[in-house]
Amino acid sequence: MLRPELTRNKVLKLIPLIVFLLVPLSQNFYLIRTLIVIFIYAILALSWDLVAGYYRLGILSFAHAALFCLGGYTSGLFAIYYGVPPLLGLLLGGLSAALMGMVLGLICLRFPGRFNIYFVILSIGFSKTMEAIWINEWKITGGTAGIRVPPFIPPENLSIYWGFNYYLIFLLFLSLLATRT
């Protein structure tokens, strides 16, 4: 016999999943774009949880937002200045952020003693340096206003947004599996 609270908990966990799977089928462009942003930030939060979370690596990193922005600016600047297609730009942005994260980690491994404190200091310094570059190089990055990138998908074609939304749900699911203890 099933306990009622166990069944209720499972049903309550399924409700957001059902909503996330059905909402992309709507014709509401704003709602679909909002869900895409939610999924992207959920994946970013899971990546931070993987590095600093409870029972995980236990490394405090302040560079996650800077690495996220580095990937976004790389993708956007390649699209604007070199006409790189959006999918290739996404790949280049992810690779640039991963490469810079690897460089930060390798620099900290060279220090003797405790790795964590050096990584914290370096990640704060990296974040503040990248922020200063993005703000002060306004001719390239647009400063505090940011840059205008051509739309990845035209707003009229909602079916592509549906596919992109389901792709992000899949990536979020993979991220959840990767961060499971």
Side-chain angles (χ1 to χ4, degrees):
M1 182 171 177
L2 291 174
R3 296 187 325 216
E5 65 273 359
L6 183 64
T7 306
R8 184 180 30 177
N9 286 341
K10 286 183 179 179
V11 169
L12 288 176
K13 288 178 183 177
L14 284 176
I15 289 174
L17 178 66
I18 292 169
V19 169
F20 285 146
L21 289 174
L22 293 179
V23 166
L25 297 176
S26 75
Q27 297 296 320
N28 190 340
F29 179 70
Y30 174 76
L31 189 59
I32 293 172
R33 294 250 340 213
T34 303
L35 275 180
I36 288 173
V37 172
I38 288 171
F39 291 139
I40 290 172
Y41 282 124
I43 293 170
L44 178 66
L46 284 171
S47 72
W48 194 85
D49 182 50
L50 179 66
V51 173
Y54 192 65
Y55 288 125
R56 307 271 187 329
L57 297 177
I59 299 170
L60 186 59
S61 170
F62 291 102
H64 263 70
L67 292 171
F68 182 70
C69 289
L70 176 67
Y73 269 110
T74 301
S75 177
L77 291 174
F78 269 103
I80 290 172
Y81 293 114
Y82 300 110
V84 172
L87 290 177
L88 181 60
L90 288 174
L91 179 66
L92 289 172
L95 288 175
S96 68
L99 181 66
M100 185 55 73
M102 186 177 74
V103 167
L104 291 175
L106 289 176
I107 290 171
C108 288
L109 285 175
R110 299 182 60 92
F111 290 112
R114 197 149 160 84
F115 170 77
N116 198 6
I117 190 68
Y118 295 115
F119 190 76
V120 169
I121 293 169
L122 185 67
S123 67
I124 291 172
F126 173 74
S127 295
K128 297 310 278 179
T129 302
M130 295 309 291
E131 179 185 10
I133 289 171
W134 290 322
I135 290 173
N136 293 324
E137 291 299 326
W138 58 270
K139 290 181 182 176
I140 299 171
T141 64
T144 56
I147 56 175
R148 286 225 178 255
V149 180
F152 178 64
I153 302 167
E156 301 82 30
N157 198 349
L158 281 178
S159 63
I160 295 177
Y161 275 101
W162 296 339
F164 192 62
N165 207 339
Y166 289 127
Y167 174 69
L168 285 173
I169 290 172
F170 175 71
L171 285 180
L172 181 60
F173 177 72
L174 287 181
S175 299
L176 283 169
L177 286 179
T179 58
R180 261 183 99 186
T181 55

